[in-house]
Amino acid sequence: MALYLQVLVVLLLKDLQQLLGVHLKVLDIPSPTTLGQSIELTCSYELDGDQLYSVKWYKDNTEFFRYLPLDWPPGQFLPLPGVRVDLSKSGKDTVYLNHVTLETAGVYRCEVSAEAPSFQTVEASKEMKVTVFPTEGPIINGARPEYIVGDTVNINCTSAKSKPAAKIRWYINDEIVGSTRKSQHFFLKYIYYILTLR
């Protein structure tokens, strides 16, 4: 019975330590974000009586920023391709990234550690995706000014580069044109309608 009580007390103390020790509240990684944008990563935590030892940030398991309150300067940037940290805006719970590029995309992790004697460490991670919008509208070419019934219509629509790749849809009189037989019939009927108006 005494052994059972000892084990129970140890388990309760462990649970209590986890409840009272350092823990993460929110990890905010803006995603998707846009090419060229500047963003703020937030790692919100509570120490619950512990002293902060460090906050470290990783991208794809490579450290790029650390905040150690006892160091000078407390915020330090470790160069990493695609990650441009603004030290003047970064601190114990935020990291500010300037000019997002495609290389900025990846899995970001925040790791918070308490001072001695506990040295308790907690962490969380989230993926950031980077979106690239087309720099201009789609270009349609290959259309002739006139067709006769029975002609094959071969028109090309090209979008500027984007990520993810742009999805192109054709519309005639605000109705989407697909690969179904009905859509093809509608397309030919529409061409015939144009021809009868000329």
Side-chain angles (χ1 to χ4, degrees):
M1 184 70 172
L3 180 61
Y4 172 77
L5 287 174
Q6 285 178 341
V7 170
L8 186 61
V9 168
V10 169
L11 290 173
L12 286 172
L13 285 173
K14 276 189 173 181
D15 288 343
L16 188 62
Q17 187 180 26
Q18 287 178 352
L19 288 171
L20 295 177
V22 59
H23 62 274
L24 288 177
K25 291 166 58 182
V26 177
L27 176 63
D28 183 25
I29 308 293
S31 182
T33 187
T34 308
L35 186 73
Q37 190 178 4
S38 294
I39 58 170
E40 186 177 70
L41 315 181
T42 302
C43 184
S44 179
Y45 54 89
E46 285 189 3
L47 297 170
D48 289 334
D50 278 337
Q51 296 296 312
L52 179 66
Y53 172 68
S54 69
V55 179
K56 295 182 179 180
W57 285 88
Y58 300 82
K59 175 187 172 282
D60 299 328
N61 294 320
T62 301
E63 186 181 355
F64 67 89
F65 180 78
R66 65 175 62 168
Y67 181 88
L68 288 85
L70 299 181
D71 279 7
W72 186 256
Q76 300 167 19
F77 168 56
L78 301 128
L80 188 65
V83 179
R84 301 176 184 180
V85 174
D86 186 336
L87 287 172
S88 68
K89 295 181 180 178
S90 303
K92 63 181 181 178
D93 52 12
T94 57
V95 175
Y96 197 85
L97 302 184
N98 285 327
H99 194 70
V100 167
T101 68
L102 288 175
E103 279 187 299
T104 312
V107 177
Y108 285 78
R109 176 163 51 98
C110 169
E111 180 185 275
V112 181
S113 299
E115 265 285 9
S118 75
F119 287 115
Q120 187 181 354
T121 300
V122 291
E123 62 180 42
S125 61
K126 284 187 181 176
E127 183 180 9
M128 180 200 296
K129 294 181 179 179
V130 177
T131 300
V132 182
F133 291 107
T135 54
E136 56 188 18
I139 298 170
I140 297 175
N141 53 43
R144 301 200 306 262
E146 292 186 11
Y147 290 90
I148 61 171
V149 176
D151 279 354
T152 299
V153 179
N154 187 7
I155 303 172
N156 182 59
C157 179
T158 305
S159 171
K161 291 180 180 179
S162 63
K163 185 177 180 181
K167 292 181 179 177
I168 297 174
R169 294 183 179 91
W170 288 93
Y171 290 83
I172 298 175
N173 288 344
D174 295 325
E175 290 194 38
I176 190 164
V177 178
S179 59
T180 64
R181 193 180 191 97
K182 182 179 177 183
S183 297
Q184 291 172 355
H185 174 70
F186 173 75
F187 188 53
L188 293 173
K189 186 169 119 181
Y190 175 72
I191 293 171
Y192 178 74
Y193 177 67
I194 292 175
L195 291 172
T196 58
L197 290 178
R198 292 175 186 256

